[in-house]
Amino acid sequence: MTHPQLTLGEFTGAGYDKGRPAPVQIAWLAVAPVFRAWFVPARMRVAILRLFGAQIGEAVLIRHNVKIHWPWKLSIGDNTWVGEGAWILNLEPVSIGSNSCVSQDVFLCAGSHSRKSRTFEFDNGPIVVGDGVWIAARSTVLRGTSIGDHAVIGANCLVISDVPASAIVRAPVSEIGRG
């Protein structure tokens, strides 16, 4: 299978809607470093996200150093935790259910590019995380995927397709040195 010669200089971003006008985007980008700071109380982070249009439930805990691309494309249910260093690259909507845990350094990536596009245009898709889900440390969830209720995504996993409810996904384990 051949792929077109890339001409990245002609990238247009056609079809991508940032969801808010430029002044709101600029305001968020100005506030985001303060939002991530260790000294900002968790309840203040939730208030800031709501101010920028995020749908955030009750008793949500968002730790410091969490990166969120566009708050207005984020919804989080009640009693959910987002751990230190998590990155929610929500070029498209990201929805996280209630009583879920997104652990440290998890990457939720709702953006991508089309390899079939000569100009490498966007190929984004939403991410849906159900209720009672645990996404363990340093896992990555890619665009266009859903994780069913009560699923567990083990540490360092790469999620590239839908995960059924109550499933347990584990990263490969090395057996080097045993024997």
Side-chain angles (χ1 to χ4, degrees):
M1 180 173 171
T2 61
H3 294 281
Q5 179 79 25
L6 291 178
T7 55
L8 298 181
E10 295 177 21
F11 173 81
T12 66
Y16 174 56
D17 179 10
K18 294 178 183 171
R20 294 290 189 276
V24 176
Q25 296 169 39
I26 292 166
W28 169 247
L29 294 174
V31 169
V34 175
F35 168 84
R36 291 192 300 267
W38 64 269
F39 57 81
V40 174
R43 69 183 179 281
M44 178 77 78
R45 286 190 198 96
V46 167
I48 291 169
L49 288 174
R50 287 178 178 149
L51 179 69
F52 279 93
Q55 301 298 309
I56 308 292
E58 296 301 316
V60 169
L61 175 63
I62 298 177
R63 303 290 297 175
H64 68 277
N65 202 30
V66 171
K67 289 173 61 177
I68 296 170
H69 197 75
W70 300 132
W72 48 88
K73 291 190 175 195
L74 178 64
S75 66
I76 300 176
D78 298 336
N79 304 303
T80 287
W81 302 345
V82 180
E84 296 171 14
W87 183 7
I88 302 174
L89 182 60
N90 54 337
L91 299 180
E92 297 299 333
V94 170
S95 173
I96 302 168
S98 295
N99 297 297
S100 290
C101 177
V102 176
S103 293
Q104 297 84 353
D105 297 318
V106 165
F107 183 31
L108 303 180
C109 183
S112 190
H113 295 274
S114 173
R115 290 186 54 205
K116 296 177 183 174
S117 167
R118 185 177 61 78
T119 58
F120 213 43
E121 297 300 331
F122 285 122
D123 183 18
N124 302 335
I127 294 173
V128 176
V129 176
D131 294 333
V133 171
W134 177 20
I135 304 175
R138 297 189 179 201
S139 291
T140 298
V141 178
L142 296 183
R143 62 106 175 95
T145 57
S146 295
I147 299 174
D149 294 346
H150 310 291
V152 175
I153 308 300
N156 291 304
C157 283
L158 174 62
V159 176
I160 62 171
S161 60
D162 291 350
V163 175
S166 301
I168 298 175
V169 178
R170 293 181 178 92
V173 178
S174 173
E175 295 293 327
I176 296 173
R178 293 193 169 192

